Amino acid sequence: MKIDRDYTLATLARLVQINSINPTLAPGAPGEAEIAAFIAGSLRACGLTAEILEPVPGRTSVLGRLAGTGGGRSLMLNAHCDTVDVPGMAEPFSGAIREGKLYGRGSYDMKGSLAACMAAAKALKDSGAALRGDLLVAAVADEEYGSLGTSDMITNVRVDGAIVTEPTALEVCLAHKGYLWIEVEVTGRAAHGSKFQFGIDANMKMGQFLARLSELERDLRARPAHPLVGPPSLHAAMLNGGSGLSTYAASCTLQIERRTVPGETGEQATAEIQAIVDALAAVDPDFHATVRTFFVRDPFEVPADARVVQAVDRAIAKVRGVAPAHIGDTPWMDAALLQAAGVETVVCGAGGAGAHADVEWVDVESVVQLAEILAEAALDYCG
Ligand SMILES: [Zn+2]
């Protein structure tokens, strides 16, 4: 499958040059409207149809479609088009290439892969190959915060398989971790700082909880590791207690992040925290605390023999001449949402470094190779 290299590199440079910082992470940032207009225009010029989806004003995704002849499996190539903020970056929007690396915010996470998705669709259109199933290019908004784009898309679009193209250096990622945000609020009793007989110190009580939580934290990491993503973990991310120096603290609040592995549920992870609270309350009548899980993202895992995995494996072997490694990764991705919606999903993307860091770059050759891999995988999967 012949990839249009000039189109791929010009598209990648333009994508990086358009500021698409997520405005929920950086208030006042432009969001995805401008980059979505560019993507939709570029896909249409390549001969695809392109639909703009905007579940929230300014939070724009694009769904490009190369219609199949009918009767085949449909495949979504998924890439997010938002980025994190750019403070500290010397050249956030340059798109300059030096020694095979293209620099700028989002080049690696993940406009390189987005350019490859677009170039793969163009290659299939240019080749005149007749796919039976539809090929979809989903350039989604807001992956870096709340995944508005993919969440909205899976309610509106029926698709059989998906390749989420978060960067994997052209290896094949079959699993990632999930996470929960859990709030524990310990309540004490406010009193004048001199009146120890009346006060119950919520911060001291939280100390008891934290000691137990740290035992749980060690226990989690000692559990049998998931073969691809390792053991579960947690950290005491944010702590806030007390209202003044001469007042017994009436309340202390802790926000915990718990990272889950495939096979664990949010209910189990919450129950482990609740068990600590219950054990402390059983021996101390002055220990009062509530546990509230306020955000859950499930882990992701796909079997190695899933059709979409096999299609990507075969495409990589054909393009690169070597079988890919099957890997896992720790950060959460949109893959979990697609898989949970009944879409068989795998993760495979470009190579590079510097996601969310001051210097970010993508390996240009890996972008061109990824485009060819995605086109071959679509031929295989969509029939
Ligand atoms: Zn990403």
Side-chain angles (χ1 to χ4, degrees), residues 1-12 15 42-43 46 48 66 77 111-127 135 137 367-375:
M1 181 64 53
K2 170 121 183 57
I3 299 301
D4 184 337
R5 190 187 169 84
D6 291 346
Y7 170 82
T8 310
L9 299 194
T11 301
L12 170 56
L15 290 170
S42 182
L43 290 174
C46 294
L48 279 75
L66 190 58
L77 307 180
K111 292 175 175 181
S113 290
L114 174 55
C117 294
M118 296 166 70
K122 180 178 190 296
L124 287 162
K125 179 70 182 174
D126 290 350
S127 76
L135 178 71
V137 176
V367 172
V368 178
Q369 277 204 334
L370 177 64
E372 192 174 358
I373 289 163
L374 295 174

Side-chain angles (χ1 to χ4, degrees), residues 80 82 108-110 143-144 166-167 332-333 355-356:
H80 64 81
D82 62 317
Y108 174 60
D109 178 19
M110 56 182 292
E143 193 278 342
E144 295 288 4
E166 289 280 6
W332 187 86
M333 307 178 197
H356 304 202

